[in-house]
Amino acid sequence: TPTGSSLRAALWVDKGQGARQPDILSEMAALPKRWAWTFLKEGIKFRTGRLYETFWNSQSNVKYTVLFLYPGALFWVRWRAETQYKYNVFIADKSVEPDSSQNLWYAWKNGSTFYFPAMATVQDLKEYVYDGADKVPGKVRAGCYGRMMEDSDNLALAVRTFCKRDPKIVLWEEHRLHEGADEEEIA
């Protein structure tokens, strides 16, 4: 059995002119083939290959659901959350509820959720709830916590200011005093 110094001397080869240089091939043969953490790389390669084969051989409906439908739904929800504000709309008076006689599947439900961009106005909210500007009742008002919003108010700023950042908007019918009558006479 060669000793350590004779093994080292055997790995050095004479390259001519008396210069001794190490033999790279002999040194590489002496190195171990597997390192302590090689199993991690091999495991990752195996699992990646298995995942690819499973995906390639799977049914197309599963394949495209995983590839397009789930990421698309996540992207849409995230995009909507970053570009629009959510408002819950309640209607206090039955007389100003939207006409749902044309809807076969659903009717008006208090607390319905609506999404609007940052620059939407209170009038935009009313038009969207009533499905058009021509269907909005003239006496309907919007507000929250006892504060009434004007139709020209920015919806996001009005909610922040009047509603204590609570996006629950109430629509009701405004009852005006009779023309010509004083407030003291009616009260």
Side-chain angles (χ1 to χ4, degrees), residues 79-87 114-122 124-125 128 153-157:
W79 174 82
R80 187 184 66 187
E82 290 179 354
T83 59
Q84 296 178 335
Y85 295 111
K86 173 184 171 183
Y87 303 97
F114 295 93
Y115 290 89
F116 290 100
M119 298 308 294
T121 62
V122 175
D124 295 337
L125 169 76
Y128 196 78
D153 287 345
N154 181 299
L155 189 58
L157 292 176

Side-chain angles (χ1 to χ4, degrees), residues 69-134:
L69 195 62
Y70 289 153
L74 291 174
F75 174 80
W76 178 75
V77 168
R78 180 68 185 211
W79 174 82
R80 187 184 66 187
E82 290 179 354
T83 59
Q84 296 178 335
Y85 295 111
K86 173 184 171 183
Y87 303 97
N88 296 333
V89 178
F90 298 85
I91 297 182
D93 300 325
K94 289 280 189 194
S95 60
V96 291
E97 278 190 1
D99 180 26
S100 58
S101 61
Q102 300 295 330
N103 300 335
L104 299 174
W105 303 108
Y106 61 91
W108 172 257
K109 186 179 83 173
N110 267 338
S112 295
T113 302
F114 295 93
Y115 290 89
F116 290 100
M119 298 308 294
T121 62
V122 175
Q123 184 63 33
D124 295 337
L125 169 76
K126 290 180 185 179
E127 291 173 4
Y128 196 78
V129 168
Y130 290 103
D131 292 327
D134 56 330

Side-chain angles (χ1 to χ4, degrees), residues 46-71:
F46 174 76
R47 288 292 158 207
T48 305
R50 180 62 62 93
L51 183 65
Y52 174 77
E53 289 173 4
T54 303
F55 181 76
W56 182 257
N57 295 323
S58 68
Q59 295 178 356
S60 62
N61 61 345
V62 173
K63 191 182 307 186
Y64 295 113
T65 299
V66 169
L67 198 61
F68 295 113
L69 195 62
Y70 289 153

